[in-house]
Amino acid sequence: MLRTNQEFLKYFEELYMKQEGREEVVVKDFSREENILIQHQPLSKVMLIKEGVAKCYLTEENGKEYIVEFLGNGEILGEVELMKNISCLCGVKAVSEVTVYEVNVFYFKSLIKNDLALNHLLLDSFAERIINTSSRASYQQLYTVEHTVTQLLNMQSKQGIQISKEDMAAYLGITVRSLNRILKDLK
């Protein structure tokens, strides 16, 4: 439900600390509801979430939003687009205050060519995403929407964040009206 990657976070913290006056890796803050990446826009930086929660979402041609995942500490943003040399596949927006490590594209490309540890972290991250996507698909088949709503409410409480009904519905792939019925039944 909330994806995190402590190993990747540790790698970026060390990368940031090892800089000797250079600014290849910088820290940047985003306010709640601020866009971090915009779907279909060119990628200018690769980022890794240092602190906070963001939502990764797709906006369909009909204007409907579908939340793919909630992302937390250690989740990387923009690496797929960089490797495939494409515009942003998804939008990413801050759900809470978010702090990221930001790396320019040229420096990140040089790290990919020269840093075996980074390549292992990227491969692990890609494998984890495939597993999570498969698990989420089967989870949605096996459990009721009510169960998933309960899980979302628990995550919201644990993280100390407020997820709007629109975002919950977008994550679940249902309407806000259906969500309201479920919330009413849960009370």
Side-chain angles (χ1 to χ4, degrees):
M1 198 146 297
L2 176 65
R3 302 294 168 215
T4 61
N5 188 329
Q6 296 308 309
E7 290 299 312
F8 230 142
L9 180 59
K10 183 179 172 191
Y11 173 86
F12 264 78
E13 285 171 345
E14 289 173 5
L15 197 62
Y16 179 74
M17 298 306 276
K18 280 194 241 177
Q19 298 183 106
E20 297 167 359
R22 299 180 311 253
E23 292 195 5
E24 282 115 350
V25 182
V26 297
V27 174
K28 185 172 181 182
D29 295 313
F30 291 90
S31 306
R32 187 176 192 279
E33 294 298 316
E34 189 174 353
N35 287 318
I36 299 171
L37 294 177
I38 300 171
Q39 186 175 337
H40 304 303
Q41 295 294 311
L43 181 72
S44 61
K45 306 283 183 186
V46 174
M47 297 177 220
L48 183 114
I49 298 175
K50 180 180 180 199
E51 295 174 347
V53 177
K55 65 178 181 179
C56 176
Y57 64 95
L58 290 167
T59 303
E60 298 296 334
E61 290 177 13
N62 63 5
K64 294 211 183 229
E65 192 178 281
Y66 175 72
I67 296 178
V68 179
E69 217 48 87
F70 289 101
L71 307 172
N73 303 355
E75 285 298 309
I76 190 164
L77 312 171
E79 79 292 357
V80 171
E81 292 85 348
L82 173 104
M83 288 181 200
K84 296 299 289 177
N85 197 28
I86 58 174
S87 297
C88 295
L89 292 169
C90 299
V92 178
K93 187 179 279 191
V95 174
S96 67
E97 300 289 317
V98 172
T99 302
V100 299
Y101 288 111
E102 189 177 77
V103 181
N104 75 51
V105 170
F106 301 107
Y107 182 61
F108 197 79
K109 282 182 179 180
S110 75
L111 287 173
I112 289 173
K113 287 180 183 175
N114 301 311
D115 191 338
L116 193 57
L118 173 63
N119 285 290
H120 285 295
L121 288 167
L122 286 168
L123 285 171
D124 186 58
S125 176
F126 294 147
E128 190 68 27
R129 286 183 190 165
I130 292 168
I131 292 166
N132 290 338
T133 300
S134 301
S135 296
R136 182 169 175 203
S138 64
Y139 186 90
Q140 288 176 328
Q141 293 287 320
L142 296 172
Y143 293 95
T144 64
V145 177
E146 291 81 4
H147 183 266
T148 309
V149 168
T150 303
Q151 297 291 94
L152 265 177
L153 294 171
N154 288 338
M155 179 193 79
Q156 180 176 255
S157 177
K158 280 183 187 174
Q159 296 298 318
I161 58 174
Q162 187 65 38
I163 301 172
S164 70
K165 286 184 180 180
E166 291 80 7
D167 282 353
M168 282 188 194
Y171 181 76
L172 297 165
I174 61 175
T175 64
V176 174
R177 186 175 177 186
S178 296
L179 177 62
N180 283 332
R181 270 190 248 120
I182 293 166
L183 290 170
K184 183 180 174 188
D185 290 345
L186 287 175
K187 288 181 181 178

